Amino acid sequence: MAETKNLKIVLTKNKLIKLYVKRKLSMAEIARQFDVAYQTIIYWLKKFNIKRRKIKTYKKTAFSGDNLEREYLKGLSIGDLNIRRHHAQILARTSTTHPAMIKLFRQIFSNYSFIRQIKTNSGISPSWYLYTILDKSFNFLLEKKADMKNLNEKEFYALLSGYVDAEGCLCITNNQKTVRYHFVLSSEDKEFLEEIKKYLEKYKYHISFRI
C-alpha cells in the first residue's frame, strides 16, 4: 500500500499520459523510473482510463556464428553487460554515462534486434540505460567466464578486444623528455586478469600486475 500512496503523489494522470502516450515509454520503463512494480503501472493505467498499447514485436536475427565476433561479445559481456534469460530469448543491457558506449552498443546489436535507449539523469552527469532482446542463439553470452584454453591467437585477441572496450583505458604521461603510453585494464575479477596476463606474456608482452 505504501508504494501506491507514494506513486499517487508523484504520478498524476497528466504525467502518465505524457510518459506513456506521448513519449511512448513502456510500462516497464515507467515502473523503473518511479521504482515501483510493473503491475503498479498497469493498475494506474486502468484507474486513469488510459488505453494500453498493443505489444510491439520486433524482428530478431540469429547470431552470425562467426567465432571472432562470438569471442568479442563474450569479452564485452564479461566486462560491461548484464545478460539474462528473457523467456526463450536473451536480454542484454547496460547503463552508461559515456556516449561512446551508446554508439558501441548500437553498432554491435542493431543488426540483430531493436535497441531501446532511456535517459535516466541520475547523479551529476547524464546517464543512459540501454537494452535489447536477442534471439536465443545468443545464449553463449550467459556464460560469465571465458575458457581461454581452447582459443587460438585470433580468438584470444577478439575476446580481449571486447573486454578492453568494457574495462580498458589508454593513459598518456609526459615527463618533459619522453611521452609514455600505458594501456590499463582495471577490474575486480582478479582471476580473469591473471588469465589475460598469462596469455599476453605468452605472446611476448611485458605486463605489470597490481592488486
Side-chain angles (χ1 to χ4, degrees):
M1 290 301 294
E3 181 183 64
T4 302
K5 289 180 180 179
N6 288 337
L7 190 63
K8 287 174 70 175
I9 296 172
V10 296
L11 186 52
T12 62
K13 181 177 181 178
N14 287 339
K15 193 157 193 175
L16 192 54
I17 289 173
K18 179 181 178 181
L19 296 173
Y20 184 74
V21 179
K22 295 181 179 179
R23 290 183 56 190
K24 305 294 185 184
L25 295 187
S26 69
M27 289 180 285
E29 291 165 350
I30 298 171
R32 190 179 300 110
Q33 192 173 121
F34 288 92
D35 194 24
V36 298
Y38 174 88
Q39 291 79 3
T40 303
I41 302 302
I42 294 176
Y43 168 80
W44 283 98
L45 286 173
K46 290 180 179 178
K47 185 175 178 66
F48 292 142
N49 293 317
I50 299 173
K51 187 176 180 180
R52 290 173 60 181
R53 298 191 300 266
K54 292 182 179 179
I55 298 175
K56 290 184 179 180
T57 57
Y58 297 97
K59 182 180 178 181
K60 298 171 184 63
T61 304
F63 177 63
S64 68
D66 182 82
N67 286 342
L68 297 185
E69 184 181 7
R70 176 184 286 107
E71 296 307 322
Y72 174 85
L73 289 175
K74 283 183 181 179
L76 185 68
S77 173
I78 291 170
D80 208 23
L81 299 183
N82 179 277
I83 308 291
R84 67 175 179 85
R85 290 193 184 278
H86 181 76
H87 305 294
Q89 300 165 319
I90 304 300
L91 172 65
R93 55 188 177 179
T94 190
S95 295
T96 184
T97 58
H98 301 291
M101 186 60 189
I102 297 174
K103 183 179 179 180
L104 178 64
F105 192 92
R106 288 187 170 279
Q107 285 177 340
I108 292 169
F109 294 118
S110 60
N111 289 332
Y112 291 110
S113 187
F114 177 77
I115 310 294
R116 189 67 174 167
Q117 178 180 326
I118 306 162
K119 193 171 183 180
T120 56
N121 287 325
S122 59
I124 299 174
S125 301
S127 59
W128 293 268
Y129 171 77
L130 298 101
Y131 72 89
T132 185
I133 299 176
L134 302 164
D135 180 79
K136 62 183 180 181
S137 56
F138 284 83
N139 60 5
F140 60 86
L141 293 178
L142 294 168
E143 304 172 12
K144 295 305 290 184
K145 292 290 183 181
D147 184 6
M148 301 185 199
K149 295 179 182 179
N150 298 319
L151 298 182
N152 60 39
E153 185 174 355
K154 287 185 178 180
E155 290 169 340
F156 166 73
Y157 282 127
L159 176 74
L160 181 60
S161 295
Y163 196 66
V164 164
D165 280 346
E167 306 285 12
C169 177
L170 180 63
C171 303
I172 303 174
T173 58
N174 187 345
N175 65 0
Q176 295 183 345
K177 292 184 179 180
T178 58
V179 176
R180 301 184 66 183
Y181 296 87
H182 304 272
F183 179 71
V184 180
L185 269 179
S186 179
S187 172
E188 295 180 357
D189 192 340
K190 178 185 174 185
E191 182 181 345
F192 191 58
L193 288 179
E194 287 176 335
E195 283 293 304
I196 291 175
K197 177 178 181 292
K198 182 170 65 176
Y199 270 78
L200 286 174
E201 288 176 340
K202 173 182 174 181
Y203 298 126
K204 309 303 180 183
Y205 287 93
H206 174 71
I207 307 296
S208 296
F209 191 81
R210 297 179 183 178
I211 301 177

